[in-house]
Amino acid sequence: MGATTANTPVNNFDELWKGFDKWYGGFATRNIDWDSLYRENRPKVHNNMTNAELYQSLCELLRPVNDIHVFLQPTSDALPRFESDRFQRENRKQQDFSIELIRKQYLPTLITVDDKLHYGVTADNIGYLHFGEFGFPLGYYQKKIGPVMKELANTKGLIVDIRDHAGGDDRVSRYIAGWFAKERKRFMTIRKRNGPDRNDFNQPMEWYTDPSTHEPYTKPVILLTTRWTASAGETFAWAMNTQEQVLQMGDRTAGGFTDIIARELPNGWLYFLGVGDYRNARGESEEGKGIAPVIHITNTAEDIRNGKDNVLEAAIKKASAW
């Protein structure tokens, strides 16, 4: 197990910095000068600090990283989880999307498979398929998606809604995208940190859309995204966007693709960080940028409160006219 590191404010700060230095995969893609952040913040830390003061120092170290997969979870003193991602800090709750509004105003026959998976068909025969995450094991989706796609097979177009997609398993992203794949196409390349140098990564691994053994859905597909579409939702968007019949509408995605790990500090607090370097089909990193839609359109919180989903209405209109 090795020697135990004493629980002092200085050691907690140093262990956090060293953990990122050893495992974080995003220094280059996010243009982060980690040594400079140490020099700036380390002199402010001393062993007479309170836990609240230490918390503030650790937050200041992580704040410039601005990564949805980087956060600090204190386990004492009722201190809140700190999100390094500015959007997440400033928007604690999504207000531009509501599945219940969709059920009430647009799809009263919406079917709930689970609280993160819904589907239905509009009066104009446009299919609707909602994924809020890919949080269950792959086998769950292999059992559930076939019957859903059978129900949607005769629609004249399909809206795939991932506007509140919180992430999950990239293998699920690949599997579900396969239901829309006319042909096998590379949609991402990933590599992960495997050594102490910040440029130490394993060999890149290519991921491809895997056309389903079932008949794929090849009619027009509108993919809806927002700034809340994150992680495995974004790798799913990459996979879907390789197919010619898919059109992305909505807002730019969150810009956080990589797998994450959790580590524990000497005081028991947890920190989370991404270990990978994920690239799209063109070999470009979109970490911190997100995937831009072809057609940009958003809802406001007021729209939703007023019972109006402008994005969905535009998607239905586009699918009907395609």
Side-chain angles (χ1 to χ4, degrees), residues 230-257:
S231 199
E234 295 181 279
T235 61
F236 176 67
W238 272 350
M240 293 289 284
N241 284 341
T242 64
Q243 304 302 309
E244 62 183 8
Q245 81 275 21
V246 176
L247 175 72
Q248 183 183 343
M249 293 179 61
D251 202 355
R252 186 179 292 270
T253 64
F257 298 81

Side-chain angles (χ1 to χ4, degrees), residues 14 52 57 72 84 97 128 144 158-159 259 263 269 281 301 306 315:
D14 285 348
S57 293
L72 175 69
S84 80
F97 168 83
Y128 176 83
K144 297 292 185 180
L158 181 61
I159 296 166
D259 288 345
R263 306 296 297 177
W269 295 1
N306 290 336

Side-chain angles (χ1 to χ4, degrees), residues 11-150:
N11 284 344
N12 280 288
F13 180 93
D14 285 348
E15 288 299 308
L16 178 65
W17 187 89
K18 288 189 292 186
F20 271 82
D21 192 56
K22 181 177 181 181
W23 293 298
Y24 187 55
F27 289 121
T29 55
R30 292 179 177 270
N31 195 29
I32 298 166
D33 188 339
W34 196 232
D35 295 316
S36 176
L37 289 174
Y38 184 86
R39 291 192 297 269
E40 177 184 349
N41 290 281
R42 174 61 181 81
K44 304 173 187 177
V45 181
H46 56 82
N47 283 335
N48 293 323
M49 301 176 82
T50 65
N51 278 344
E53 291 169 336
L54 172 64
Y55 171 77
Q56 291 300 324
S57 293
L58 299 183
C59 293
E60 289 306 308
L61 175 66
L62 297 179
R63 190 182 304 273
V65 179
N66 193 26
D67 183 338
I68 67 166
H69 285 134
V70 169
F71 48 94
L72 175 69
Q73 181 64 69
T75 55
S76 65
D77 300 84
L79 293 166
R81 167 169 150 167
F82 173 76
E83 305 283 350
S84 80
D85 181 71
R86 184 173 64 242
F87 180 83
Q88 292 288 325
R89 289 199 308 272
E90 295 175 353
N91 301 273
R92 291 293 184 175
K93 182 180 179 181
Q94 185 172 13
Q95 301 183 66
D96 60 356
F97 168 83
S98 168
I99 193 66
E100 291 310 315
L101 171 62
I102 292 171
R103 186 192 304 277
K104 180 179 179 181
Q105 294 289 96
Y106 301 95
L107 277 164
T109 59
L110 187 69
I111 296 171
T112 299
V113 180
D114 62 57
D115 63 353
K116 299 294 184 180
L117 174 55
H118 306 82
Y119 72 96
V121 180
T122 70
D124 296 328
N125 198 32
I126 300 298
Y128 176 83
L129 178 58
H130 166 253
F131 296 105
E133 67 177 21
F134 294 147
F136 289 113
L138 176 59
Y140 173 84
Y141 299 94
Q142 290 172 328
K143 293 178 181 177
K144 297 292 185 180
I145 298 303
V148 171
M149 293 304 296
K150 185 176 181 180

Side-chain angles (χ1 to χ4, degrees), residues 192-262:
K192 298 182 181 179
R193 278 287 297 271
N194 69 345
D197 188 90
R198 293 171 196 163
N199 293 314
D200 284 339
F201 289 87
N202 60 11
Q203 289 298 309
M205 177 182 297
E206 296 182 335
W207 286 55
Y208 290 81
T209 51
D210 185 13
S212 173
T213 55
H214 305 280
E215 189 70 23
Y217 189 97
T218 58
K219 286 174 277 190
V221 176
I222 307 294
L223 180 68
L224 299 183
T225 61
T226 66
R227 292 289 296 152
W228 295 87
T229 306
S231 199
E234 295 181 279
T235 61
F236 176 67
W238 272 350
M240 293 289 284
N241 284 341
T242 64
Q243 304 302 309
E244 62 183 8
Q245 81 275 21
V246 176
L247 175 72
Q248 183 183 343
M249 293 179 61
D251 202 355
R252 186 179 292 270
T253 64
F257 298 81
T258 179
D259 288 345
I260 63 173
I261 61 171

